[in-house]
Amino acid sequence: MREPSFFYIANWKMQLTFAKTVLFCKKNQNNFELLTQKKNTKIVLCPSFESLAFVNDFFKKSSLSVGAQTCSSYEKGAYSGQVAAQSLSDIGCKYCLVGHSERRNFCSETDDDVAKKVQQLLKNNIIPIVCVGELKKEREEKKTYEVIERQIRAACQAVKKFTKESKIFIAYEPVWSIGTGDIPSNQEITEILKYITSIAKAVLPKISLVLLYGGSVHEKNVKILKEICDLDGFLVGGASLDFQKFQKIVT
Ligand code: PGA
């Protein structure tokens, strides 16, 4: 069954300091709240760790939700600098990105790490938003499907070890598209989303998927992207930091 809501996940990355996050939220509070009132629309803001509790608290009267950008693959222990999924749950996080390409590339996050994080999140009732996608070189070498299959299998095997029925979000984010302005065609995205679904269902027939696209989504290309029928939402980076642009993407 398809999700009734269309999701807009704003990934603020490490673009705003805590003070700037507070200012951004205060400046746009009413408008954010108005956006959340749009029918069948779900907005999830993903600020960096230090701002999560503030953003969650600030918008607690609206239906806006908060998500983290990653979490530890461990439950607890001597892992300096890491943040446990349970702590995210304690402060009201409902979602968490996992395996974003910036984590895979700059922090050497592997499929195995992604799998462990997915399990930590499910244990703590946080919905994982698993990011998958090929590098430019992999696309040129025609390895897109191979890469995606590997990433999806790892995440879904992790879900399978935990539960037979679960909901996870999968964001197809071609790495060559993130922050570049280049996006795949609707047909390419449609085919990849179909492939993602077939791999996920092969591992876990009862899995429930929410399928997102991410990579250079902005107010000028969103109308065309919204024509993709199997899509349940977008993961938006750069354009989510400019409220006017984000508003145009949502409305
Ligand atoms: P972008 O980033 O929208 O700036 O391309 C997307 C992402 O990294 O999730």
Side-chain angles (χ1 to χ4, degrees):
M1 206 178 61
R2 287 288 298 281
E3 267 292 316
S5 298
F6 201 81
F7 286 79
Y8 297 87
I9 320 271
N11 180 7
W12 290 351
K13 309 193 179 187
M14 201 182 74
Q15 302 286 15
L16 301 175
T17 59
F18 178 72
K20 285 189 174 155
T21 302
V22 173
L23 277 179
F24 188 70
C25 291
K26 287 190 173 161
K27 189 168 164 225
N28 299 300
Q29 181 176 18
N30 294 342
N31 289 332
F32 263 124
E33 286 173 1
L34 279 177
L35 273 193
T36 62
Q37 286 164 21
K38 193 177 167 234
K39 206 166 164 252
N40 295 341
T41 300
K42 182 79 193 150
I43 293 173
V44 180
L45 301 179
C46 303
S48 44
F49 282 133
E50 76 287 355
S51 301
L52 281 166
F54 165 78
V55 177
N56 189 52
D57 200 46
F58 191 78
F59 288 110
K60 68 170 176 271
K61 289 200 187 103
S62 77
S63 63
L64 202 140
S65 296
V66 160
Q69 298 171 14
T70 186
C71 69
S72 177
S73 47
Y74 302 100
E75 189 175 330
K76 63 172 190 159
Y79 302 106
S80 303
Q82 299 203 30
V83 177
Q86 193 175 356
S87 298
L88 298 177
S89 166
D90 288 351
I91 59 166
C93 250
K94 299 272 184 302
Y95 300 86
C96 182
L97 303 179
V98 199
H100 189 282
S101 67
E102 285 147 18
R103 300 284 317 169
R104 293 184 194 261
N105 296 337
F106 304 135
C107 306
S108 311
E109 203 163 290
T110 63
D111 288 330
D112 190 44
D113 297 326
V114 171
K116 288 182 180 140
K117 291 178 187 208
V118 165
Q119 289 194 326
Q120 290 299 327
L121 293 168
L122 292 176
K123 256 191 227 169
N124 287 285
N125 293 318
I126 296 175
I127 297 180
I129 305 171
V130 180
C131 305
V132 300
E134 78 286 5
L135 301 167
K136 190 169 196 280
K137 185 169 177 287
E138 291 165 336
R139 177 176 162 88
E140 285 162 1
E141 290 169 357
K142 307 217 176 315
K143 289 188 176 149
T144 299
Y145 284 78
E146 189 186 313
V147 170
I148 286 172
E149 175 165 355
R150 197 196 68 228
Q151 294 174 336
I152 294 289
R153 273 193 193 281
C156 293
Q157 290 290 359
V159 178
K160 191 177 177 180
K161 277 188 199 145
F162 182 77
T163 164
K164 296 279 170 280
E165 275 177 76
S166 186
K167 172 151 89 174
I168 65 165
F169 284 41
I170 295 180
Y172 171 52
E173 293 212 301
V175 184
W176 51 271
S177 174
I178 296 176
T180 62
D182 294 334
I183 54 167
S185 68
N186 278 12
Q187 195 190 336
E188 278 175 281
I189 298 174
T190 305
E191 279 164 17
I192 288 176
L193 295 182
K194 275 205 180 82
Y195 190 65
I196 288 175
T197 307
S198 70
I199 299 294
K201 296 260 180 201
V203 178
L204 200 50
K206 286 194 176 163
I207 199 163
S208 148
L209 296 176
V210 175
L211 298 173
L212 312 175
Y213 169 77
S216 292
V217 175
H218 57 68
E219 73 287 5
K220 296 197 180 87
N221 58 23
V222 75
K223 198 163 173 265
I224 292 174
L225 287 167
K226 279 183 182 173
E227 287 168 8
I228 300 172
C229 22
D230 289 333
L231 204 61
D232 300 301
F234 296 113
L235 180 49
V236 189
S240 70
L241 292 155
D242 177 327
F243 185 80
Q244 317 301 334
K245 287 187 181 169
F246 189 61
Q247 186 177 36
K248 283 188 186 147
I249 289 171
V250 176
T251 51

